[in-house]
Amino acid sequence: MASNEVVSVQSIIQESQNCKIPWDEVAKPAIGEWLFLFAKAKGTCKEFLLASCLPTVSVLMGNSVVEIFEDYDEHVNLYMRALGGLATGKTQSHKNCVTQPILKSLEGKVGGELLLEDATSKGLFKFFSRSENRAALCAMDECQEWFKEVVGFKSSASAPSMKPLLQCYDGSHWYEAKGNTNKRVGVPSAALALSCFTQSDAFLKFIMPRMVANDNGLLDHFLISLSSTAPLSISARMEGSRNLRNTNLTSFEQLYERIYAKHNTADRAKYGLSQEALHVYIRHMSNSESQTVTATSGHSKDDKNIIRLAAVMHVLYSVMKEALNQRTEDIPSKISERTLNEAIALSGYFEKQRAILQQVNWFLNSTFCKSV
């Protein structure tokens, strides 16, 4: 949509809804089919499943890193935001991919806190201080009010400022002075993953313009999508549930347990790219760098997110394949060329979504200018 066209928030939403995930490029048929069955059985959609399970898996991977070369590695935690209307399955995805498998199952088995309950700056710092350098998951079903506070639309102590979110994306250190002493307390690495759901209108009218105006790069950290989905009928969900029970995998609980057990040991898990995948990534980065003269900012974060997506998809798909085939195998330490290409395709979808949704800033500014 060209900037000189007459646009509205609703037309931007429509354009975003018409932008679809290229599922045949993002997941093998068996994985995509299982995600479809699970989503249908639970009354949600595959896009919302990704917004819930990918950040969750990134936290269950602990402080894993992807080593690109000897002096450069990347954390795996993800910031994801999914937009949708009422009764589109946001709550069902959040429940079945986060609260039920984490709060009601995994936390009790591992005896540790994984899901952040106090999503303030103070709450974040306390979590990292008491959790032995564990990554934190902040997952919210309806987060528009929380995010209004984050971007400064309204003031409150119930949300962190943008600075901690920027730091926690990179897993940076976080130390604070202890009282009036010269002592500092904190952690050498504070990594956070975000799984945020919100209604489309609230995000586009109040939050997106503030994120664009702040121009501090926070928007580029997020993988944002707006899904077009209609409420499923009870008969459709019943059919999906029957078909799901005919597979060897009926929930995320066993996947999460396996991923957590693999990655939360004394030694930090380290992944790398296969030679073929490394060549693909270098070529992709070279193409991205050649477009920076005419493109908008955000390429470096997009390249980071490709690596993070590749690592998380590599682990999730490997464990899903094990469960569906009823085999126990080691997760390969090298990310394949195929998985990297899947991550590039998925990242490309999120980049398109972000570019479409950013148009709301131009529209609201032009509307304001006409009114004064």
Side-chain angles (χ1 to χ4, degrees), residues 18-82:
N18 292 335
C19 178
K20 309 292 186 182
I21 292 180
W23 284 103
D24 57 336
E25 300 175 32
V26 167
K28 292 179 180 178
I31 301 294
E33 288 167 11
W34 185 86
L35 289 171
F36 171 76
L37 283 179
F38 189 86
K40 188 175 181 181
K42 305 303 179 181
T44 183
C45 63
K46 292 191 291 185
E47 291 80 2
F48 287 164
L49 291 187
L50 290 188
S52 294
C53 75
L54 291 181
T56 303
V57 170
S58 76
V59 164
L60 298 180
M61 291 171 65
N63 285 308
S64 300
V65 295
V66 183
E67 185 178 78
I68 312 303
F69 52 86
E70 188 174 348
D71 294 319
Y72 171 42
D73 55 36
E74 189 65 50
H75 287 273
V76 300
N77 53 299
L78 294 169
Y79 283 7
M80 297 191 74
R81 173 185 287 279

Side-chain angles (χ1 to χ4, degrees), residues 160 177 267 274 323:
D267 297 322
S274 69

